[in-house]
Amino acid sequence: MIATILIHCPDQPGIIHSVTGFIHKRGGNVVYLDQHVEKEDRVFFMRLQADFRQDTWEEPSFREAFGKGPATTYAMEWRLYLEDRSRMALFVSKYNHCLYDLLSRYEAGELNATIPFILSNHPDCEPIARQFDIPYYCVPVTPESREKAEARQLELLREHQVDCIVLARYMQIIGPSLIAAYPNRILNIHHSFLPAFAGAKPYHAAFARGVKIIGATSHYVTEELDEGPIIAQDVTPVSHMHTVSDFIAKGRDLEKIVLARAVQLHLHRKTLVYNNKTVIFA
Amino acid sequence: MIATILIHCPDQPGIIHSVTGFIHKRGGNVVYLDQHVEKEDRVFFMRLQADFRQDTWEEPSFREAFGKGPATTYAMEWRLYLEDRSRMALFVSKYNHCLYDLLSRYEAGELNATIPFILSNHPDCEPIARQFDIPYYCVPVTPESREKAEARQLELLREHQVDCIVLARYMQIIGPSLIAAYPNRILNIHHSFLPAFAGAKPYHAAFARGVKIIGATSHYVTEELDEGPIIAQDVTPVSHMHTVSDFIAKGRDLEKIVLARAVQLHLHRKTLVYNNKTVIFA
Amino acid sequence: MIATILIHCPDQPGIIHSVTGFIHKRGGNVVYLDQHVEKEDRVFFMRLQADFRQDTWEEPSFREAFGKGPATTYAMEWRLYLEDRSRMALFVSKYNHCLYDLLSRYEAGELNATIPFILSNHPDCEPIARQFDIPYYCVPVTPESREKAEARQLELLREHQVDCIVLARYMQIIGPSLIAAYPNRILNIHHSFLPAFAGAKPYHAAFARGVKIIGATSHYVTEELDEGPIIAQDVTPVSHMHTVSDFIAKGRDLEKIVLARAVQLHLHRKTLVYNNKTVIFA
Amino acid sequence: MIATILIHCPDQPGIIHSVTGFIHKRGGNVVYLDQHVEKEDRVFFMRLQADFRQDTWEEPSFREAFGKGPATTYAMEWRLYLEDRSRMALFVSKYNHCLYDLLSRYEAGELNATIPFILSNHPDCEPIARQFDIPYYCVPVTPESREKAEARQLELLREHQVDCIVLARYMQIIGPSLIAAYPNRILNIHHSFLPAFAGAKPYHAAFARGVKIIGATSHYVTEELDEGPIIAQDVTPVSHMHTVSDFIAKGRDLEKIVLARAVQLHLHRKTLVYNNKTVIFA
């Protein structure tokens, strides 16, 4: 039984020793430990995986003891995950390259997740959902229906007990109630090298500026559009020979790779958000 | 005798045929030809190199005939270069990594240029200039002395018959009279992936935003700060583990590589500016 | 009507002028021209696209005149393509990531090709073929059945009038009769940065050697295993933290991107093979 | 007082807890900890930095106690470094780009090292040594003088109390007595993406093979030529347009960046060699 623990707390001497001792005493073997100290703010971050082999290990009592023990001593914010799969909803609009990419990884068993449904504001991707035998909900969004749509989205997310949401090129703004319900659990892919070219039509803007490299950025969604904590970025060279269409085509490959990378980091509990930035454990 | 010709003009059928025919007739052999059509604006760009073996070839008569011939027919803007070395001035402040890099390439004979002098607003780099036996002029710049400094700079540039200026981490704004005198011939290195983090302290801004990749950009200097035509860009990955100092250290390597690449492109006449963007020939 | 012409021939003065003149006279407008001279062997390469607007343009007479004209004068090897889609067969074994990637691009209309069938030596990928509604032929290969299998493959390729074959992680050796029938028209993806780690189990070999970067290579298939002309390569960083399984997972992303890039270059007639190397036009 | 400890030993539960406890008890605060478990061989690796603030901390007694304590309990191979600078000798032949790069970093204070001398088998780089005011020894190597040269090299290394050697494009084979005296402390830069193109003239071989990417590799020198543990690698794209000379010019930039990166990792005690591979701590 592998347990993954994510911790952050004010930095002080003895944290690692205390946590590893706690685990040791309960029969655990630390199989992974990565820590980081943000020196400016003196904050300590740790991701630790322990293998508990004893039949006697029980999650509830561990949680309670850890909470009263090291977590209290060091004023930790902490989370404990067992080997459970996340329930991950996909939101799309009309573009299907990120959707296809995630679904083929899903089908190949590469994702530690269950995809209970795909939601879209358009009917276009429904055949793909059918191809992969996943429920598809079309929830159109108009200026008038925005609130109603958001309520319907929340209802679906709750009904399907969704843990996290992946916006696989979903071209609508996510409502505040969703962001509040899924803090640092909504992953977006923005088709630029943020903070360059935030907002709409980044490839057109990149073309107009004459950049020699374009990028894609996956980040957690916050109330500030395209301003959330960055999880992953990547870039590809372009030249004067490329048209906006070429940028878009090259960008598709970037987008799917970067989004998939961020999704994997999230599903493996390798991300920790602090100060609108991410700590990405190795 | 290799002649390099750079052309841009409105696109229309027959330009390549006409130019290559013109060269052919004058005994030239085309050894390089790269062309590009900007489809939106219907502009034609070409870089061509021809080897004129005949003893009879003369630059002035070629210039005159080409000017009256194809250049007039197709309303070309064009430039002709022979194998002459550019006279390239280096401007620096206190950071010396780009300076060292360019000077060691210069010393190794990698640059098709002569460096008549190094100019700085500080005395710090003078020992390096001495190491490489190149004249060093210290022209301090204060808010009060700005105009006088600019005049002195222009005087030195003219006196030394400078063709182009490389700002190898020169931390002062270039005055409008220099920009006017050297249009698309002043190369700057900005320590970010433009247009992200234009202006001062880009590494600090990148750190604050929590990006996963940092970059450097070399561009021609125009009146709009950090808005000139981009010549070259490159990037390197960073993570939460890196401090601002790490960003700066990694950035140094990027800056020198990107600036050197841009300098080489410029010196080999491989850049053409149009619409505040560059065409970079292969 | 856009015609694409690929040429290679001994280098000599006047080729570009002659070809562009020939096209000009027949009412064509050159919309793309990229040329390259291999200096050591003095070989000239060119890719040219011309837009023939006149209703009077006819392919057969153009072919005949070009063949007797410039092609003869300059001893050219040349090919002419109109805007027709290639008929491209996919060969796979059990891994499906490249297959999924190509099929989703196909479905999204990104490939200038028709995929008449998928062939495999295993039944595993048949459901994917069904998902995308493409015929699937399972042709098992054993040491005994090798020749018969090859004959069946050839039969299918002819029957479906296939132009080119993509080995999307097909784990069998391609027989000499197929290679002879499809010279420089069989694209393979090898899961290493060739020539490093040719042969079987390259990720295991890369892991054993302790490299810090792994790669993937797409090349045309020749009689020498993994020795054909390289079309595209890309790499991704790895570290001591990665296991062989991590290499394989990272490699999957590389493989699909690199293979797709090579397929696009091939389909857009941007590759020319000479001396077991490729010229890749921009 | 920052102490850096590098450890590797058979993996078993409790190591981190034990070591951090040991440090804690002696008044140290762990400011950095990175660990890795090689799962196949069940080997544990750790790099740890502790800040010992107490005036009572003494290196010799710490060494003794650690040696008798955790190091014995867990059968560790371990090293302890204080904030001392390495004494690093540079070996060069005729190419000067890596030399210039390292010396300019040295001059700028970027290297945590002292460079007591530069050694070469040629006199060519002596003026550069003079520029930077560093002793230069010319020790020519011929088939006959090989042994004598090696003896002279060893003599110089001992006399100058050298800790590590950087082969900054030194084109001679390093003798077995030097390798024995400096195990995993001689850094080489090989101008290819190893294991591709080991041996002489890698750029020529890469050109002949028609690769689309070239690389450089820094590794520790072992008795097997170009087979030592890899520290750092990087690559850059090339195309059919590039000649061997272009490969060499592009390679120079790669070589200096990759070598400098490896040197920094070594000087910061971030490398650990095991099984002819490196663990590179973050």
Side-chain angles (χ1 to χ4, degrees):
Chain A
M1 168 70 68
I2 300 279
T4 302
I5 305 175
L6 290 179
I7 291 168
H8 71 106
C9 62
D11 188 31
Q12 57 175 291
I15 305 174
I16 299 173
H17 182 61
S18 167
V19 172
T20 54
F22 183 90
I23 283 162
H24 205 47
K25 240 179 269 166
R26 270 148 199 85
N29 182 22
V30 174
V31 292
Y32 170 98
L33 187 158
D34 191 11
Q35 58 90 47
H36 170 64
V37 175
E38 184 74 39
K39 273 167 193 143
E40 261 177 60
D41 300 341
R42 303 186 62 85
V43 182
F44 175 87
F45 301 89
M46 186 158 70
R47 180 175 182 267
L48 181 146
Q49 289 188 306
D51 194 350
F52 291 97
R53 290 160 198 263
Q54 294 175 293
D55 302 340
T56 53
W57 191 79
E58 280 175 9
E59 191 193 337
S61 63
F62 182 91
R63 278 189 189 276
E64 199 192 331
F66 192 85
K68 288 185 179 160
T72 299
T73 309
Y74 295 102
M76 290 175 179
E77 293 195 35
W78 66 287
R79 282 175 287 154
L80 171 70
Y81 300 100
L82 298 188
E83 279 160 339
D84 42 4
R85 303 165 78 76
S86 295
R87 295 179 60 79
M88 179 172 88
L90 303 185
F91 282 28
V92 293
S93 291
K94 293 182 169 182
Y95 295 119
N96 62 30
H97 52 286
C98 286
L99 179 63
Y100 256 127
D101 187 66
L102 288 172
L103 292 179
S104 61
R105 290 171 197 270
Y106 181 50
E107 189 85 1
E110 293 176 31
L111 301 181
N112 186 35
T114 299
I115 299 177
F117 67 86
I118 297 164
L119 181 148
S120 179
N121 55 330
H122 291 290
D124 304 52
C125 291
E126 185 156 18
I128 301 175
R130 259 203 308 274
Q131 257 189 326
F132 289 84
D133 206 18
I134 294 174
Y136 187 87
Y137 299 103
C138 185
V139 181
V141 181
T142 60
E144 299 75 42
S145 74
R146 187 168 297 281
E147 269 180 54
K148 228 178 93 185
E150 203 176 319
R152 176 65 180 139
Q153 290 168 355
L154 266 179
E155 188 183 47
L156 283 166
L157 293 165
R158 278 170 192 154
E159 191 179 298
H160 289 275
Q161 295 172 280
V162 164
D163 297 311
C164 62
I165 304 167
V166 176
L167 310 182
R169 297 299 310 273
Y170 179 67
M171 309 304 273
Q172 290 289 325
I173 290 182
I174 294 296
S177 63
L178 260 76
I179 295 174
Y182 289 91
N184 299 324
R185 289 190 284 146
I186 307 175
L187 291 82
N188 186 38
I189 179 73
H190 183 76
H191 40 314
S192 85
F193 184 79
L194 287 176
F197 311 121
K201 300 228 171 231
Y203 292 129
H204 290 77
F207 180 80
R209 179 62 184 92
V211 294
K212 299 302 184 189
I213 292 178
I214 56 170
T217 303
S218 181
H219 62 92
Y220 287 117
V221 173
T222 58
E223 295 253 347
E224 307 302 315
L225 189 66
D226 299 334
E227 293 283 344
I230 293 170
I231 308 166
Q233 300 189 290
D234 210 344
V235 296
T236 201
V238 290
S239 82
H240 65 273
M241 281 181 296
H242 297 113
T243 61
V244 173
S245 308
D246 295 327
F247 279 32
I248 292 170
K250 281 170 162 285
R252 274 194 297 258
D253 279 7
L254 269 182
E255 292 161 28
K256 63 193 198 189
I257 293 294
V258 171
L259 180 58
R261 206 179 288 159
V263 165
Q264 291 285 22
L265 290 170
H266 182 86
L267 293 178
H268 287 96
R269 327 297 189 184
K270 293 193 164 179
T271 65
L272 217 161
V273 172
Y274 171 77
N275 247 359
N276 204 45
K277 293 161 71 167
T278 58
V279 171
I280 302 293
F281 293 106
Chain B
M1 167 69 68
I2 299 281
T4 302
I5 304 175
L6 290 179
I7 291 169
H8 71 108
C9 61
D11 188 31
Q12 56 175 292
I15 306 174
I16 299 173
H17 182 62
S18 166
V19 173
T20 54
F22 183 90
I23 284 162
H24 205 47
K25 239 178 271 167
R26 269 147 199 88
N29 182 22
V30 174
V31 292
Y32 169 98
L33 186 158
D34 191 11
Q35 59 89 46
H36 169 65
V37 175
E38 184 75 37
K39 275 173 191 139
E40 261 177 61
D41 299 342
R42 306 186 61 85
V43 182
F44 176 88
F45 301 90
M46 186 160 68
R47 179 176 182 268
L48 180 146
Q49 290 189 307
D51 195 351
F52 291 97
R53 290 161 197 263
Q54 293 175 293
D55 302 339
T56 53
W57 191 79
E58 279 176 11
E59 190 193 338
S61 64
F62 182 91
R63 278 190 190 275
E64 201 193 329
F66 192 85
K68 289 186 179 159
T72 299
T73 310
Y74 295 102
M76 293 176 178
E77 292 194 35
W78 66 287
R79 282 176 288 153
L80 170 70
Y81 299 101
L82 297 188
E83 281 158 338
D84 43 4
R85 303 165 79 75
S86 294
R87 295 179 61 81
M88 178 172 89
L90 304 185
F91 282 29
V92 294
S93 289
K94 292 181 169 184
Y95 295 119
N96 62 31
H97 52 285
C98 285
L99 180 63
Y100 257 127
D101 188 67
L102 288 172
L103 292 179
S104 60
R105 290 171 197 270
Y106 182 50
E107 189 85 3
E110 292 175 32
L111 302 181
N112 185 35
T114 299
I115 299 178
F117 68 85
I118 298 164
L119 181 148
S120 179
N121 55 329
H122 291 289
D124 303 54
C125 291
E126 183 154 21
I128 301 174
R130 260 204 306 275
Q131 258 188 327
F132 288 84
D133 206 20
I134 294 173
Y136 186 88
Y137 298 103
C138 184
V139 181
V141 180
T142 60
E144 299 76 41
S145 73
R146 187 168 297 281
E147 268 180 54
K148 228 178 93 186
E150 203 175 318
R152 175 67 179 136
Q153 290 168 356
L154 266 179
E155 187 182 48
L156 283 166
L157 293 165
R158 278 169 192 155
E159 193 178 296
H160 289 274
Q161 295 173 279
V162 164
D163 298 310
C164 62
I165 305 167
V166 175
L167 310 182
R169 296 301 308 273
Y170 179 68
M171 309 304 272
Q172 291 289 326
I173 289 183
I174 294 295
S177 63
L178 261 75
I179 295 175
Y182 289 91
N184 299 325
R185 288 189 286 148
I186 307 175
L187 290 83
N188 186 38
I189 179 72
H190 183 75
H191 39 314
S192 86
F193 183 82
L194 287 176
F197 311 122
K201 298 223 171 242
Y203 292 129
H204 290 77
F207 180 80
R209 180 62 185 92
V211 293
K212 301 302 184 190
I213 292 176
I214 55 170
T217 303
S218 183
H219 63 92
Y220 287 115
V221 173
T222 58
E223 295 253 347
E224 308 302 315
L225 190 65
D226 299 333
E227 293 282 345
I230 294 171
I231 308 166
Q233 301 189 290
D234 209 344
V235 296
T236 201
V238 291
S239 82
H240 64 273
M241 282 181 296
H242 297 113
T243 61
V244 172
S245 308
D246 295 327
F247 279 33
I248 291 170
K250 281 171 164 284
R252 274 193 296 261
D253 279 7
L254 268 182
E255 292 161 28
K256 63 194 197 189
I257 294 295
V258 172
L259 180 57
R261 205 178 291 159
V263 166
Q264 291 285 23
L265 290 170
H266 182 86
L267 293 178
H268 287 95
R269 327 296 190 187
K270 292 192 163 180
T271 65
L272 218 161
V273 173
Y274 172 76
N275 247 358
N276 204 45
K277 295 161 70 166
T278 58
V279 170
I280 303 292
F281 294 105
Chain C
M1 168 68 68
I2 298 280
T4 303
I5 304 175
L6 290 178
I7 291 168
H8 71 106
C9 61
D11 188 32
Q12 56 176 292
I15 305 174
I16 299 173
H17 182 62
S18 166
V19 173
T20 53
F22 182 90
I23 284 162
H24 205 47
K25 240 179 268 167
R26 270 147 199 86
N29 182 21
V30 174
V31 292
Y32 169 98
L33 186 158
D34 191 11
Q35 59 91 46
H36 168 65
V37 175
E38 184 75 36
K39 274 169 193 143
E40 261 177 60
D41 298 342
R42 305 188 61 85
V43 181
F44 175 87
F45 301 89
M46 185 160 69
R47 180 174 182 268
L48 180 147
Q49 289 188 307
D51 195 351
F52 290 97
R53 289 161 199 263
Q54 293 176 292
D55 302 342
T56 54
W57 190 80
E58 279 176 9
E59 191 192 338
S61 63
F62 182 92
R63 278 189 191 275
E64 201 193 328
F66 192 85
K68 289 184 180 163
T72 298
T73 310
Y74 295 102
M76 292 176 179
E77 290 195 36
W78 65 288
R79 283 176 285 155
L80 170 71
Y81 300 100
L82 297 189
E83 281 158 339
D84 43 4
R85 303 165 78 75
S86 294
R87 294 180 61 81
M88 178 172 89
L90 304 184
F91 281 29
V92 294
S93 290
K94 293 182 169 183
Y95 295 118
N96 62 31
H97 52 285
C98 286
L99 179 63
Y100 257 127
D101 188 67
L102 287 172
L103 291 179
S104 61
R105 290 172 197 270
Y106 182 50
E107 190 84 4
E110 293 176 31
L111 301 181
N112 186 35
T114 299
I115 299 178
F117 68 87
I118 298 164
L119 181 147
S120 179
N121 54 330
H122 292 289
D124 303 55
C125 291
E126 183 155 18
I128 301 174
R130 260 203 307 274
Q131 258 188 327
F132 289 83
D133 206 19
I134 294 173
Y136 186 87
Y137 298 103
C138 186
V139 181
V141 181
T142 61
E144 299 76 42
S145 73
R146 187 168 296 282
E147 268 180 53
K148 230 180 91 185
E150 203 176 317
R152 175 68 179 135
Q153 290 168 358
L154 266 178
E155 187 184 49
L156 283 166
L157 293 165
R158 277 169 191 155
E159 193 179 295
H160 289 275
Q161 295 172 280
V162 164
D163 297 311
C164 61
I165 305 168
V166 176
L167 310 182
R169 296 301 307 274
Y170 179 68
M171 310 302 274
Q172 291 290 324
I173 289 183
I174 295 295
S177 63
L178 261 75
I179 295 175
Y182 290 91
N184 299 326
R185 288 189 285 147
I186 308 175
L187 290 82
N188 186 39
I189 179 73
H190 183 75
H191 39 315
S192 86
F193 183 81
L194 287 176
F197 311 122
K201 300 225 169 237
Y203 293 129
H204 290 76
F207 179 80
R209 180 61 186 93
V211 294
K212 301 302 183 190
I213 293 176
I214 55 170
T217 304
S218 182
H219 63 92
Y220 287 116
V221 173
T222 58
E223 295 252 347
E224 307 302 314
L225 190 65
D226 300 333
E227 293 283 345
I230 294 170
I231 308 165
Q233 300 189 289
D234 210 344
V235 297
T236 201
V238 292
S239 82
H240 65 274
M241 282 181 295
H242 297 113
T243 61
V244 173
S245 307
D246 295 328
F247 279 33
I248 291 170
K250 282 171 163 283
R252 274 193 296 260
D253 280 8
L254 268 183
E255 292 160 29
K256 64 193 198 190
I257 293 295
V258 171
L259 180 57
R261 206 178 290 160
V263 166
Q264 291 285 23
L265 290 169
H266 182 86
L267 293 178
H268 286 95
R269 328 295 190 185
K270 293 193 164 181
T271 66
L272 217 161
V273 173
Y274 171 76
N275 246 357
N276 204 44
K277 295 161 69 168
T278 59
V279 171
I280 303 293
F281 294 106
Chain D
M1 168 69 69
I2 299 281
T4 303
I5 304 176
L6 289 180
I7 291 168
H8 71 108
C9 62
D11 189 31
Q12 57 175 291
I15 305 174
I16 298 173
H17 183 62
S18 167
V19 172
T20 54
F22 183 90
I23 284 162
H24 205 47
K25 239 178 268 167
R26 269 146 198 88
N29 181 22
V30 174
V31 293
Y32 169 97
L33 187 158
D34 192 11
Q35 59 90 46
H36 169 65
V37 176
E38 184 73 38
K39 274 169 192 143
E40 261 176 61
D41 300 341
R42 304 187 62 84
V43 182
F44 175 87
F45 300 89
M46 185 159 70
R47 180 176 182 267
L48 179 147
Q49 289 187 307
D51 194 352
F52 291 97
R53 289 160 199 262
Q54 294 175 292
D55 302 341
T56 54
W57 190 79
E58 280 177 8
E59 190 193 339
S61 62
F62 182 91
R63 277 189 191 276
E64 200 193 329
F66 192 85
K68 288 185 180 162
T72 299
T73 309
Y74 295 102
M76 291 175 180
E77 292 194 36
W78 65 287
R79 282 176 286 154
L80 170 70
Y81 299 100
L82 298 188
E83 280 159 338
D84 43 3
R85 303 166 79 76
S86 294
R87 293 180 62 80
M88 179 171 89
L90 304 185
F91 282 29
V92 294
S93 289
K94 293 182 168 182
Y95 294 118
N96 63 31
H97 52 286
C98 286
L99 179 64
Y100 257 127
D101 187 66
L102 288 172
L103 291 179
S104 60
R105 290 172 196 270
Y106 182 50
E107 189 86 2
E110 293 176 33
L111 301 181
N112 185 35
T114 299
I115 298 177
F117 68 85
I118 297 164
L119 182 147
S120 179
N121 55 330
H122 291 290
D124 303 54
C125 291
E126 185 156 17
I128 302 174
R130 258 203 308 274
Q131 256 189 329
F132 288 85
D133 205 19
I134 294 174
Y136 187 87
Y137 299 104
C138 185
V139 181
V141 181
T142 61
E144 299 76 42
S145 73
R146 186 168 297 281
E147 270 181 53
K148 229 178 92 184
E150 204 176 317
R152 176 64 180 140
Q153 290 168 356
L154 267 179
E155 188 183 48
L156 283 166
L157 293 165
R158 278 170 191 153
E159 193 179 296
H160 288 276
Q161 296 172 279
V162 163
D163 297 311
C164 62
I165 304 167
V166 176
L167 311 182
R169 296 301 309 273
Y170 180 67
M171 310 302 274
Q172 290 290 324
I173 289 182
I174 295 295
S177 63
L178 260 76
I179 295 174
Y182 290 90
N184 299 325
R185 290 190 284 149
I186 307 175
L187 290 82
N188 186 38
I189 179 73
H190 183 75
H191 39 314
S192 85
F193 184 80
L194 288 176
F197 311 121
K201 299 227 170 234
Y203 293 129
H204 290 76
F207 179 80
R209 179 63 185 91
V211 294
K212 300 303 184 189
I213 292 178
I214 56 170
T217 303
S218 182
H219 62 92
Y220 287 116
V221 173
T222 59
E223 295 252 348
E224 308 302 315
L225 190 66
D226 299 332
E227 292 284 344
I230 293 170
I231 308 166
Q233 299 188 291
D234 210 343
V235 296
T236 201
V238 291
S239 82
H240 65 274
M241 281 182 295
H242 296 114
T243 61
V244 172
S245 307
D246 295 327
F247 279 32
I248 291 170
K250 280 171 163 283
R252 275 195 296 259
D253 279 8
L254 267 182
E255 292 162 28
K256 62 193 198 189
I257 293 294
V258 171
L259 180 58
R261 207 179 289 160
V263 166
Q264 292 285 23
L265 290 169
H266 183 86
L267 293 178
H268 288 96
R269 328 295 191 186
K270 293 194 163 180
T271 65
L272 218 161
V273 172
Y274 171 77
N275 247 358
N276 205 45
K277 295 161 70 166
T278 58
V279 171
I280 302 292
F281 294 105

